[in-house]
Amino acid sequence: MAALLAPTTLWFLVMLIMPLIVILIFSFGERAAVGGYGGGFTFEQYANLPARLKAFQNTLTYAPLGTLLSLLVAYPLAYFLALKVDRRFKLVLLVLVIVPFWTSLLIRTYAWIYILGGRGIPTILEWIGIEGVRLINTPTAVLIGIVYGYLPLMVFPVYVSLEKLDKSLLEASNDLGGNSFKTFLQITLPLSMPGIATGCMLVFILLMGEFLIPAFLGGGKVFFIGNAMVDLFLQSRNWPFGSAVAATLVVIMLITVSIYMRLAMRNKTGADQSLM
Amino acid sequence: MTSVAAFRNVSKRYGEITAARNLNLDVASGEFLSFLGPSGCGKTTSLRMIAGFEQPSEGEVFLEGICVNDVPAYSRPVNMVFQHYALFPHLNVESNVAYGLKQRSPKPPTGEIHNRVHEMLELVQLTGYSLRQTWELSGGQQQRVALARALINKPKVLLLDEPLAALDRKLRREMQIELQNLQRNVGITFILVTHDQEEALSMSDRVCIMREGEIAQVGSPLDLYDRPRNQYVADFVGKSNFFYGVIEQVRTWKVDIRLDCGIPVVLNSSRSFNSHKNGDKICISVRPEQLVLARDESNIPEDSAIKSTARIMNRIFLGEQIEYLLCDERLGEFLALSSRHNELNEKPFETNEVVFVAWSRDATLILDDDERDKPNVS
Amino acid sequence: MSKNSDKQITSKQFMRQLWRYKRGSISRREFLGVTGLGMATAVMGAAIPSLLPQKSWASTDLGDRLVFSTWPNYWNQANLDEFTANTGVNIQVNAFGSNEEMLAKLQAGGTGWDVFVPTNYTISNYVELGLIQELDLSRIPNYDASANNPKFAGPATVNGKVYCVPKNWGTTGFIINSNKITSGPKSWKDFFEVTKGEGSGHTIVHDYQLTTIGAALCALGYSFNSIDPNELAEAEAVLIESKPHLFAITSDYQPGMRSGDAWMSICWNGDATQLHNDLPEMQYVIASDGGEIWTDFYAIPAEAPHLDAAYAFLNYMQDPAVQARDAEAHGYAPTDARAIALQPASLATDPILHPAEELMNGLEFGAAQTLTDPNRAELIARFKSA
Ligand SMILES: Nc1ncnc2c1ncn2[C@@H]1O[C@H](COP(=O)(O)OP(=O)(O)OP(=O)(O)O)[C@@H](O)[C@H]1O
Ligand SMILES: [Mg+2]
């Protein structure tokens, strides 16, 4: 058993713990004069965190908002796929949901620059008489990009939980006098909670590190913590400060994950353990 | 008795498949009716049309004399116990049982719900289990919760789709008795789906035997056993010996039949359900216990429909009774069941012994020859 | 995109844009820098030796490969192919989006690079860090120092030693869509006025501290390279004040300009040539109150594994005809007069690529400390997150 676990442990150490330790060490160092890591031990980087307060605020606003919007878009889609679509077409439709994601997010996000740009949707809106709509490089564009980019991450866990849902439970509710709406609220929704939680968790955690969508669709004006880190590591090459920001982000994520685990454990029932 | 549920010319098709064909059935108020038949014969489909989960392709479903084809499941005064109980896993026992009451509008006061739930749990002997999670319960207990949940709204008809199939034999026996008692106590019409004939025959007031989407026969268990309308029912309910032949002559009270093996038989025409005419291919049926076996020809009654000799091929002791497999050149193989303490008081027959066989006219039924399956012994 | 800019974007045009992006040709410095993906773009071919073509002939044994790191769309593939055909040396090209990224990579070590293309202001840093090696000019006979304007070639010499040979040069000014911006801004001061005025909502500044802070400093009459805290504070105020009026903060400004969403942007002159050629209303302006002039160089990292091939490559690339072909592919001006002489007249006299001397009087080369100054880095971060 121990021998079998050894490679896993090693992998875990090398891939996860080591980078974290490096980040942690860097975060207590000083920036070298020409950039990079200059050694030393100081709390200066952490003291300097308020300089990125706005980026943290933005991320902590847009990440939950983006997660919520993704859920609102993904849930009906997953519901439709899992419960309404004829079994024969299910696979085809699922594949159709995934296909766009075979192309890199970069290219697809780039495409949105044109869709949301002056000659895209705003022009179409002009045809129907709605003038002066500006989409590209606005927070709205960033949210649209987020919902688009993260859709499968939300759709799949929710789909799986709905697909697993014993359909006779819905009939039982119906039989006992619950119409479709009541059945949805009292049975479908609570039983798809594990999928919702997993999807939200995935999207939220990845959104916390997002930098591409705000850079492209926000025109650089919507500044996430991910953008701050890209700048710190690749432009100003202030590795210690970048590391302190990264370490702080990791802590925020750990807190989020532990809250999720708490909730997941508390809600654990016989039927919904598999997604935990 | 008024009919609480009824089918009028109901058919249900799934594309090419006809799951139910031209069903006509009246279920009396307060009765315990079973749908019995082999897998895929349309039992569940029929039940689900009453519940409202399926719409008939043709015909009408009535509940208390009103056509409910357009009434959605959640508004029908019937409730269902699902095969795998379909208990809500995120709700505890109390909330599961209360579910039906809480769907009502206006919602009854909390106190009333609480009282009703406890009444129900008492009824199914689950007092004290109200705060348990459903997955903590045994199969039998889950079964009871499902019953309580389905009964709390006092349905006009309780539909049960193989509710006992998931239980082991002993528990199933107990639950069968309990279900029967429960049905008598609450006075609600029960419609039970099963493919276990023993279960259907022992519990029901009437059994509806289904075959490939059609109703083969509806009747009391005794009726079905003694007066099956066709070979299928005779075969399905209990064991029967079948012999094939043609009608030679229909007379006023009697029918002359020649079996395919050449033996002529004269039977009472009252033992036939369908009117036959000369030349019709038929099948005669006789229950194994109605065969008379004897070592001495004089012990065979004079007015037997058939008299023959046959060799004992095999015998099985069933305690009080012994089942013999017999073989005769002309009649082929057939079964006989004889009580060890019959009036002749003969010693049990030995394998390979050649004995006299006969059965009476009254014990012999004339049935349509069902070409679809033709086992001589079942 | 095409000249009929008032029409809707067609699917064909859209695909062309995507294609441009895939080739990395939208702008020289943008994309990869923004995305941080530059480091992942190494071309794999050279990593699989059996796939390499056999060399036809070679005077000396140069080995079979060379790793060349440069900017996106900043080379002529025909030149590289010819070099490979002549020497048997296969070239693996890595494209990078920023000088900072190249520096970070070399600082981290183990790049395997043989030749790369730094910009003037980074060279002294590389020398100081010991990351590049002094060149033995005798091994680059094609390089003719006298044919190169000392103004452009100057940064190659640090402490009296030559570390690089020049490649191309250019300027950083701004571009306007003259159909939309009619007040004819001439200076960075005008640029920020127009941003708050007729160009409000349609101006782009770079996601790059050097040029964006530099522009604001010039508008205030300070040096493009200033690291004086007071002057930087004033520049920050200028930028923060203009931020609500900006269309975007991005170094990827061509798509916005082409689509008509943006009307004015800080701009490198090579991009300006591309834009102007496609859309004549795009006018490049060298600001009267200053701006940047820059030179890109070829340099050899200290740890270059294929030194002989690297020298052979540098020598080849300094051939005037090769330089002319190189410039033809990307549109930037060569520093070498011999190469310019071989260029078609349209390029050799193009006013965007070769502006009149007096226009360039106010331009400054970026300074090493401008790049590494932590205050400027923090300033741009505050500006972006404001
Ligand atoms: N939703 C459906 N779509 C297509 N065919 C169906 C559907 N439901 C049932 N059938 C078909 O209708 C026929 C009757 O099915 P039904 O479930 O009523 O049988 P059953 O008597 O309950 O069988 P079992 O004892 O196996 O439960 C079967 O042939 C079945 O394949
Ligand atoms: Mg069934």
Side-chain angles (χ1 to χ4, degrees):
Chain A
M1 195 60 185
L4 282 176
L5 283 176
T8 323
T9 316
L10 195 69
W11 187 90
F12 185 72
L13 280 176
V14 172
M15 301 303 287
L16 201 72
I17 303 296
M18 288 241 304
L20 278 179
I21 290 174
V22 170
I23 290 274
L24 217 57
I25 292 173
F26 276 17
S27 71
F28 289 105
E30 277 166 17
R31 179 187 189 268
V34 288
Y37 172 63
F41 183 84
T42 167
F43 291 99
E44 192 189 313
Q45 311 304 345
Y46 287 96
N48 198 21
L49 278 178
R52 293 296 181 279
L53 184 63
K54 185 77 187 185
F56 275 109
Q57 281 173 349
N58 275 339
T59 305
L60 287 171
T61 312
Y62 283 88
L65 194 61
T67 307
L68 184 70
L69 288 174
S70 301
L71 178 64
L72 290 180
V73 174
Y75 199 97
L77 180 61
Y79 184 86
F80 177 75
L81 283 174
L83 299 173
K84 297 288 167 200
V85 170
D86 190 312
R87 208 173 301 161
R88 284 170 295 174
F89 305 127
K90 215 170 243 187
L91 191 68
V92 178
L93 288 175
L94 274 177
V95 169
L96 283 181
V97 174
I98 313 168
V99 162
F101 298 86
W102 291 346
T103 324
S104 99
L105 179 65
L106 200 66
I107 295 173
R108 284 178 292 120
T109 307
Y110 209 82
W112 277 98
I113 294 182
Y114 291 90
I115 298 171
L116 299 174
R119 298 188 183 180
I121 292 172
T123 306
I124 295 169
L125 290 177
E126 261 168 44
W127 291 344
I128 58 168
I130 303 166
E131 303 255 343
V133 174
R134 158 79 65 90
L135 283 174
I136 189 68
N137 300 350
T138 60
T140 311
V142 174
L143 287 172
I144 291 173
I146 285 171
V147 169
Y148 171 77
Y150 287 85
L151 198 63
L153 281 180
M154 190 64 96
V155 167
F156 278 92
V158 176
Y159 170 81
V160 168
S161 69
L162 287 172
E163 175 67 46
K164 280 195 326 169
L165 183 75
D166 182 356
K167 308 302 175 291
S168 66
L169 296 180
L170 306 182
E171 288 185 341
S173 165
N174 210 225
D175 184 64
L176 292 164
N179 58 26
S180 315
F181 183 65
K182 283 179 177 173
T183 300
F184 176 77
L185 284 187
Q186 296 173 90
I187 309 296
T188 315
L189 194 59
L191 287 178
S192 58
M193 268 308 171
I196 294 176
T198 306
C200 287
M201 209 58 231
L202 282 174
V203 170
F204 182 77
I205 287 187
L206 289 177
L207 266 182
M208 293 287 284
E210 178 62 52
F211 63 94
L212 203 121
I213 294 169
F216 278 24
L217 300 180
K221 295 192 295 176
V222 183
F223 198 65
F224 281 19
I225 207 65
N227 303 85
M229 285 195 291
V230 169
D231 283 1
L232 283 170
F233 280 101
L234 293 182
Q235 276 216 7
S236 49
R237 287 173 312 107
N238 190 342
W239 292 1
F241 189 31
S243 300
V245 171
T248 310
L249 188 65
V250 168
V251 169
I252 294 176
M253 286 195 204
L254 284 178
I255 292 171
T256 320
V257 172
S258 60
I259 291 173
Y260 163 77
M261 295 298 265
R262 274 272 177 80
L263 290 176
M265 286 304 166
R266 209 176 57 197
N267 289 345
K268 198 159 88 167
T269 66
D272 57 8
Q273 286 168 354
S274 64
L275 276 166
M276 291 303 156
Chain B
M1 280 205 293
T2 55
S3 108
V4 64
F7 284 138
R8 290 281 171 273
N9 306 319
V10 167
S11 295
K12 176 67 185 176
R13 280 183 293 274
Y14 295 109
E16 298 284 284
I17 301 165
T18 303
R21 186 182 292 120
N22 200 27
L23 305 182
N24 281 291
L25 178 70
D26 282 280
V27 185
S29 183
E31 91 170 313
F32 195 135
L33 180 108
S34 295
F35 282 124
L36 175 65
S39 189
C41 70
K43 307 182 295 289
T44 298
T45 303
S46 306
L47 202 69
R48 289 169 60 83
M49 285 193 286
I50 301 174
F53 300 139
E54 304 286 354
Q55 296 308 313
S57 311
E58 279 160 30
E60 291 163 319
V61 178
F62 288 87
L63 288 175
E64 300 187 294
I66 298 163
C67 173
V68 292
N69 281 19
D70 296 325
V71 178
Y74 60 84
S75 309
R76 295 193 186 189
V78 300
N79 284 119
M80 184 140 164
V81 174
F82 291 80
Q83 180 165 355
H84 299 286
Y85 319 138
L87 298 179
F88 304 128
H90 58 304
L91 303 179
N92 64 16
V93 170
E94 177 162 9
S95 305
N96 261 283
V97 176
Y99 194 87
L101 279 184
K102 288 187 182 163
Q103 305 315 307
R104 293 203 177 159
S105 56
K107 201 155 102 178
T110 321
E112 191 191 321
I113 293 179
H114 187 81
N115 291 344
R116 289 280 294 140
V117 166
H118 284 268
E119 228 171 85
M120 281 299 133
L121 287 178
E122 206 179 313
L123 185 70
V124 297
Q125 299 163 33
L126 276 181
T127 317
Y129 283 81
S130 55
L131 296 181
R132 292 280 204 93
Q133 295 300 323
T134 54
W135 74 84
E136 298 170 346
L137 304 181
S138 72
Q141 290 168 334
Q142 292 185 15
Q143 170 75 69
R144 292 160 205 259
V145 175
L147 271 168
R149 186 179 71 174
L151 285 171
I152 200 162
N153 270 344
K154 299 191 175 131
K156 298 295 175 217
V157 182
L158 184 73
L159 307 169
L160 305 105
D161 190 359
E162 311 212 21
L164 308 178
L167 304 180
D168 67 52
R169 215 182 142 73
K170 188 160 163 284
L171 192 55
R172 190 156 69 205
R173 205 46 233 149
E174 282 171 30
M175 285 303 295
Q176 284 171 1
I177 294 165
E178 233 171 86
L179 263 185
Q180 253 183 310
N181 291 337
L182 186 70
Q183 198 258 342
R184 278 179 207 130
N185 290 343
V186 295
I188 291 174
T189 311
F190 276 32
I191 302 181
L192 174 96
V193 159
T194 179
H195 54 237
D196 178 344
Q197 58 152 300
E198 200 185 310
E199 183 169 296
L201 297 178
S202 65
M203 294 171 77
S204 327
D205 299 323
R206 283 199 303 158
V207 177
C208 172
I209 294 185
M210 296 195 64
R211 171 191 203 183
E212 293 180 16
E214 294 182 60
I215 294 176
Q217 188 173 353
V218 191
S220 69
L222 215 62
D223 233 17
L224 295 173
Y225 192 83
D226 287 347
R227 300 180 57 81
R229 272 169 194 260
N230 47 41
Q231 189 187 346
Y232 178 79
V233 175
D235 193 23
F236 204 85
V237 180
K239 290 179 176 179
S240 283
N241 295 306
F242 298 116
F243 305 98
Y244 300 90
V246 279
I247 308 263
E248 292 218 303
Q249 181 74 47
V250 181
R251 290 182 276 151
T252 319
W253 303 109
K254 305 265 184 231
V255 185
D256 295 336
I257 291 166
R258 183 168 296 275
L259 295 185
D260 293 350
C261 56
I263 301 178
V265 201
V266 179
L267 295 175
N268 297 337
S269 52
S270 64
R271 301 306 290 154
S272 161
F273 278 99
N274 305 316
S275 51
H276 292 288
K277 47 188 200 306
N278 298 349
D280 276 359
K281 290 189 150 196
I282 49 89
C283 155
I284 63 171
S285 153
V286 59
R287 298 283 182 195
E289 67 270 21
Q290 289 175 313
L291 263 62
V292 180
L293 303 185
R295 289 202 171 87
D296 189 347
E297 193 174 4
S298 61
N299 285 336
I300 297 291
E302 262 319 302
D303 63 340
S304 294
I306 280 188
K307 265 193 268 180
S308 179
T309 55
R311 183 183 296 279
I312 307 275
M313 304 303 290
N314 198 2
R315 62 174 193 188
I316 302 165
F317 282 102
L318 299 173
E320 215 292 300
Q321 291 179 309
I322 302 172
E323 186 179 88
Y324 296 101
L325 175 64
L326 295 108
C327 184
D328 170 59
E329 280 163 17
R330 293 180 302 172
L331 292 171
E333 288 191 335
F334 52 94
L335 286 176
L337 197 64
S338 79
S339 171
R340 282 169 64 186
H341 306 287
N342 57 12
E343 56 274 25
L344 299 176
N345 233 344
E346 289 198 75
K347 281 197 302 177
F349 305 106
E350 301 297 326
T351 307
N352 273 331
E353 204 178 333
V354 175
V355 296
F356 289 98
V357 183
W359 62 87
S360 73
R361 287 200 177 121
D362 281 339
T364 317
L365 295 172
I366 307 168
L367 304 171
D368 290 340
D369 176 2
D370 267 316
E371 285 296 331
R372 280 177 276 207
D373 48 343
K374 265 187 150 179
N376 193 15
V377 176
S378 80
Chain C
M1 228 181 277
S2 59
K3 319 249 161 171
N4 48 352
S5 55
D6 50 329
K7 293 251 180 70
Q8 307 310 319
I9 180 169
T10 65
S11 60
K12 205 167 142 195
Q13 287 169 330
F14 174 73
M15 285 317 292
R16 259 187 67 194
Q17 279 301 327
L18 262 189
W19 213 198
R20 284 177 71 98
Y21 151 65
K22 282 197 177 178
R23 294 196 322 244
S25 71
I26 292 167
S27 165
R28 174 169 161 272
R29 298 182 192 234
E30 52 185 49
F31 235 81
L32 303 170
V34 182
T35 60
L37 292 179
M39 291 188 185
T41 56
V43 176
M44 287 304 293
I48 310 164
S50 61
L51 294 179
L52 302 178
Q54 294 305 303
K55 65 174 112 179
S56 48
W57 58 269
S59 49
T60 55
D61 191 9
L62 299 177
D64 62 0
R65 78 176 69 185
L66 175 94
V67 181
F68 177 40
S69 290
T70 183
W71 303 81
N73 194 39
Y74 204 32
W75 68 91
N76 186 335
Q77 190 58 42
N79 282 341
L80 303 195
D81 292 344
E82 187 183 84
F83 180 76
T84 302
N86 289 345
T87 61
V89 175
N90 292 280
I91 302 172
Q92 171 188 326
V93 183
N94 299 330
F96 283 84
S98 76
N99 276 301
E100 290 79 350
E101 223 179 302
M102 291 196 201
L103 178 52
K105 194 94 208 244
L106 279 172
Q107 230 177 334
T111 56
W113 297 355
D114 298 304
V115 175
F116 75 110
V117 181
T119 306
N120 52 276
Y121 44 79
T122 59
I123 291 165
S124 64
N125 283 334
Y126 283 121
V127 172
E128 197 180 315
L129 292 167
L131 294 174
I132 56 176
Q133 49 181 285
E134 185 186 354
L135 294 184
D136 176 0
L137 290 180
S138 72
R139 298 182 69 177
I140 316 173
N142 281 340
Y143 173 61
D144 180 357
S146 67
N148 282 277
N149 186 337
K151 182 171 160 186
F152 301 133
T157 307
V158 179
N159 304 329
K161 293 177 182 167
V162 177
Y163 286 89
C164 315
V165 288
K167 181 178 185 303
N168 299 91
W169 72 279
T171 59
T172 311
F174 59 88
I175 194 154
I176 59 167
N177 180 335
S178 58
N179 289 344
K180 303 287 188 181
I181 305 288
T182 52
S183 61
K186 289 277 173 286
S187 62
W188 290 116
K189 195 164 183 299
D190 297 346
F191 179 90
F192 286 103
E193 288 303 320
V194 170
T195 297
K196 289 180 283 180
E198 70 171 324
S200 177
H202 300 280
T203 304
I204 296 175
V205 299
H206 288 176
D207 182 7
Y208 193 42
Q209 63 93 349
L210 192 86
T211 47
T212 295
I213 298 177
L217 286 165
C218 290
L220 292 161
Y222 301 131
S223 162
F224 183 85
N225 284 310
S226 174
I227 52 171
D228 176 89
N230 296 326
E231 292 176 8
L232 285 176
E234 282 182 59
E236 181 171 356
V238 169
L239 291 174
I240 303 260
E241 194 189 338
S242 66
K243 190 175 176 194
H245 302 281
L246 294 176
F247 172 69
I249 303 167
T250 176
S251 310
D252 182 17
Y253 49 89
Q254 279 208 36
M257 290 300 293
R258 285 172 186 274
S259 72
D261 286 331
W263 300 343
M264 184 167 74
S265 175
I266 302 180
C267 182
W268 286 291
N269 65 333
D271 288 322
T273 314
Q274 291 171 19
L275 284 165
H276 180 71
N277 286 346
D278 289 346
L279 306 160
E281 67 271 24
M282 297 292 171
Q283 301 287 337
Y284 183 66
V285 179
I286 293 180
S288 59
D289 46 5
E292 187 197 8
I293 184 169
W294 50 263
T295 312
D296 285 335
F297 294 86
Y298 292 110
I300 301 179
E303 297 175 342
H306 312 105
L307 196 57
D308 293 337
Y311 271 110
F313 182 66
L314 286 201
N315 190 44
Y316 173 78
M317 294 307 286
Q318 284 297 319
D319 181 305
V322 173
Q323 286 190 56
R325 279 208 300 270
D326 188 60
E328 203 181 317
H330 54 69
Y332 283 91
T335 53
D336 192 324
R338 297 170 303 163
I340 298 168
L342 294 174
Q343 284 193 300
S346 62
L347 280 178
T349 61
D350 183 285
I352 298 176
L353 297 177
H354 300 281
E357 274 298 328
E358 65 271 19
L359 282 177
M360 297 196 288
N361 285 341
L363 303 186
E364 297 171 70
F365 276 99
Q369 71 269 26
T370 312
L371 189 73
T372 53
D373 181 51
N375 292 331
R376 287 183 69 128
E378 284 304 292
L379 194 166
I380 201 82
R382 285 194 297 274
F383 164 59
K384 282 163 73 179
S385 63

